[in-house]
């Protein structure tokens, strides 16, 4: 699946056995600043196994169609939320590829993928209120800001996030 984000295009490739290296790269202090900090190697390996076994939803490796490089990850999974069960999404773009519109393209692509999965009407993203880059990605990718919410991430750590929602029944 190829999607344009600004001048950039990305292809989503289903998460595979060989993608553990990408999770390790995305686990750096700068990449996890708004996510509670880096996880232990054991937790990263467990996350990789969860991604491989994800039954409801899908994780992807994000590939730039321009150079063919893996630039990050994106995915969607089920979550209980106010209107019932919804899709939730999250993404990460490696530092050397940031600022090029690739996260926006990946977010647009995951909206398409969640729409095609067909199970739920809404896809939500919950970046921290102070995470300006991720909030900008949500806005530029076509999500609607519903407002701030109180969440825990990681579990046991209260955070203030913005609730961004894409209606999967609307045309792109």
């Amino acid at each position: 699946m190829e999607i344009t984000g600004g001048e950039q295009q990305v292809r989503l490739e289903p998460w595979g056995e060989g993608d553990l290296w990408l999770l390790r790269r995305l686990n750096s202090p700068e990449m996890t600043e708004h996510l509670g900090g880096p996880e232990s190697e054991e937790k990263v390996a467990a996350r990789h196994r969860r991604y491989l076994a994800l039954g409801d939803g899908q994780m992807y490796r994000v590939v730039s169609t321009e150079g063919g490089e893996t630039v990050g990850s994106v995915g969607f999974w089920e979550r209980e939320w106010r209107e019932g069960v919804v899709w939730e999404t999250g993404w990460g773009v490696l530092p050397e590829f940031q600022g090029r519109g690739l996260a926006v393209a990946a977010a647009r692509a995951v909206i398409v993928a969640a729409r095609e999965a067909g199970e739920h009407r809404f896809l939500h993203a919950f970046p921290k209120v102070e995470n300006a880059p991720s909030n900008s990605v949500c806005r530029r990718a076509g999500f609607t800001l519903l407002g701030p919410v109180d969440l825990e991430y990681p579990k046991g750590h209260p955070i203030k996030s913005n609730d961004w929602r894409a209606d999967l029944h609307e045309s792109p």
Side-chain angles (χ1 to χ4, degrees):
M1 166 185 319
E2 289 186 22
I3 301 289
T4 301
E7 298 298 314
Q8 296 293 321
Q9 289 189 343
V10 298
R11 182 177 64 249
L12 301 187
E13 297 186 358
W15 197 262
E17 195 64 52
D19 293 331
L20 178 58
W21 71 270
L22 179 56
L23 270 185
R24 288 180 175 135
R25 287 280 323 275
L26 293 168
N27 192 44
S28 71
E30 73 181 302
M31 292 297 300
T32 60
E33 175 185 354
H34 296 286
L35 302 172
E39 295 179 310
S40 68
E41 178 61 26
E42 295 78 25
K43 286 189 177 189
V44 171
R47 178 180 300 276
H48 177 61
R49 288 189 301 275
R50 282 194 312 276
Y51 285 4
L52 289 170
L54 197 60
D56 295 315
Q58 178 69 53
M59 287 303 298
Y60 299 97
R61 187 164 44 90
V62 179
V63 178
S64 168
T65 59
E66 183 176 300
E69 307 101 335
T70 295
V71 299
S73 70
V74 69
F76 64 98
W77 53 89
E78 284 190 331
R79 174 193 181 101
E80 291 282 336
W81 194 236
R82 294 179 177 152
E83 60 263 28
V85 180
V86 300
W87 293 124
E88 180 178 355
T89 187
W91 53 81
V93 171
L94 295 168
E96 63 268 29
F97 297 106
Q98 292 177 4
R100 302 181 192 180
L102 294 163
V104 173
R108 288 178 181 161
V110 87
I111 290 171
V112 172
R115 182 177 289 122
E116 289 175 356
E119 295 181 41
H120 305 297
R121 178 171 182 178
F122 297 111
L123 175 67
H124 288 259
F126 298 99
K128 276 185 161 181
V129 169
E130 64 270 13
N131 185 344
S134 285
N135 282 286
S136 176
V137 167
C138 290
R139 183 174 26 266
R140 293 173 54 210
F143 287 81
T144 299
L145 178 61
L146 301 181
V149 293
D150 293 316
L151 296 176
E152 288 184 14
Y153 195 88
K155 194 166 182 74
H157 296 86
I159 61 171
K160 181 71 77 180
S161 293
N162 278 324
D163 181 2
W164 292 89
R165 183 176 78 184
D167 187 338
L168 302 176
H169 289 179
E170 291 180 357
S171 298

